[in-house]
Amino acid sequence: MSRKPTATEKRVLLSGVSWQQFETLLDELGRDRTTRMTYDRGKLEMMTPLEEHDRCARLIESLILVLGDELRSKVYSLGSILLTRSDIGRAIQPESCYYFDQEVRVRNKAELDMNQTPPPDLVVDVAIEKGKMDRFSIYGSMEVPEIWRYTTVTGEDVLKGNLQILQFRGDRYTEVSNSVQFPMLPSARVLEFLEQSDSLGLAQALVVLRDWMRKHL
């Protein structure tokens, strides 16, 4: 019996796409589009995420919301919104982005203009397959202060990936051991939470996480 091929993310890379053409494409796809967009000065990558991709993002969001609750911090999640800077011809769409203790009003729920709005305090970027665009450079041009970059593979090991916590320092991102937003939180604890979500179930993993937080506050 032949083995079922492993599902992969669908990626399309186009060159010579003007900003006006990019905006026209966004209008045509509409606000409810599922395709993730990355645009960098004429180059456009379109990616259709797998269910595993979104599962990782949802679990990490559960962790962030619980951490915020334990710290009595207001967490505003804008989900997978497209961050844009038309003045330099760049746009990028993380899995999720967050503001802490500052609410940002969004006119267009699908896009956030970085020329009119401060950058998110934290973005989560999940990669099952490596794309061809320099995502860190784009985030840096928008001065996003912190990125959680989770890289993994499809299948049963999707929650056994690697997490990098990156801080924007000067003109580049530097990997650090602990989050700025959650100083008590090392990247290893995020990975432990993901594994526990798989082995114990999400509800029990959140209970364990809360207990861990209360011991470290």
Side-chain angles (χ1 to χ4, degrees), residues 12-128:
V12 176
L13 183 63
L14 303 174
S15 299
V17 180
S18 69
W19 184 262
Q20 183 176 6
Q21 290 173 323
F22 176 53
E23 287 189 322
T24 298
L25 177 61
L26 293 178
D27 289 339
E28 290 177 350
L29 292 175
R31 296 184 180 184
D32 297 326
R33 58 181 178 269
T34 56
T35 304
R36 304 280 166 80
M37 301 288 189
T38 307
Y39 181 88
D40 190 2
R41 297 165 294 192
K43 292 183 178 180
L44 172 63
E45 182 182 75
M46 297 182 290
M47 185 271 288
T48 303
L50 296 171
E51 170 58 28
E52 290 99 322
H53 195 118
D54 289 334
R55 180 188 178 196
C56 296
R58 291 194 300 269
L59 289 174
I60 293 173
E61 172 150 304
S62 297
L63 175 141
I64 290 171
L65 294 177
V66 166
L67 295 180
D69 183 55
E70 290 295 328
L71 292 171
R72 302 295 188 267
S73 175
K74 294 181 179 179
V75 182
Y76 298 95
S77 172
L78 297 185
S80 183
I81 196 168
L82 183 70
L83 310 178
T84 67
R85 273 198 61 180
S86 58
D87 59 321
I88 58 173
R90 287 181 139 182
I92 193 164
Q93 191 168 355
E95 269 54 65
S96 50
C97 61
Y98 304 90
Y99 289 88
F100 297 92
D101 297 319
Q102 61 167 329
E103 185 174 5
V104 174
R105 295 183 179 181
V106 182
R107 293 182 180 179
N108 183 343
K109 293 183 179 180
E111 299 167 31
L112 191 62
D113 187 348
M114 294 289 92
N115 287 318
Q116 300 179 8
T117 308
D121 295 311
L122 170 66
V123 302
V124 174
D125 198 282
V126 177
I128 290 179

Side-chain angles (χ1 to χ4, degrees), residues 126-137:
V126 177
I128 290 179
E129 293 180 21
K130 186 177 180 180
K132 296 182 178 180
M133 307 285 275
D134 186 350
R135 298 179 69 81
F136 292 156
S137 175

Side-chain angles (χ1 to χ4, degrees), residues 92-182:
I92 193 164
Q93 191 168 355
E95 269 54 65
S96 50
C97 61
Y98 304 90
Y99 289 88
F100 297 92
D101 297 319
Q102 61 167 329
E103 185 174 5
V104 174
R105 295 183 179 181
V106 182
R107 293 182 180 179
N108 183 343
K109 293 183 179 180
E111 299 167 31
L112 191 62
D113 187 348
M114 294 289 92
N115 287 318
Q116 300 179 8
T117 308
D121 295 311
L122 170 66
V123 302
V124 174
D125 198 282
V126 177
I128 290 179
E129 293 180 21
K130 186 177 180 180
K132 296 182 178 180
M133 307 285 275
D134 186 350
R135 298 179 69 81
F136 292 156
S137 175
I138 301 174
Y139 282 127
S141 68
M142 298 179 182
E143 299 184 355
V144 173
E146 184 169 343
I147 301 171
W148 289 8
R149 173 75 163 175
Y150 183 70
T151 54
T152 187
V153 296
T154 57
E156 295 180 357
D157 293 334
V158 68
L159 298 182
K160 298 178 181 179
N162 180 60
L163 181 80
Q164 292 176 288
I165 297 177
L166 301 145
Q167 294 176 13
F168 190 57
R169 297 176 175 175
D171 60 351
R172 67 187 62 188
Y173 284 97
T174 301
E175 185 172 1
V176 295
S177 58
N178 288 53
S179 168
V180 172
Q181 296 298 329
F182 308 108

Side-chain angles (χ1 to χ4, degrees), residues 194-209:
L194 293 176
E195 292 184 4
Q196 289 173 341
S197 298
D198 195 30
S199 60
L200 304 176
L202 177 57
Q204 186 60 36
L206 290 173
V207 170
V208 173
L209 178 65

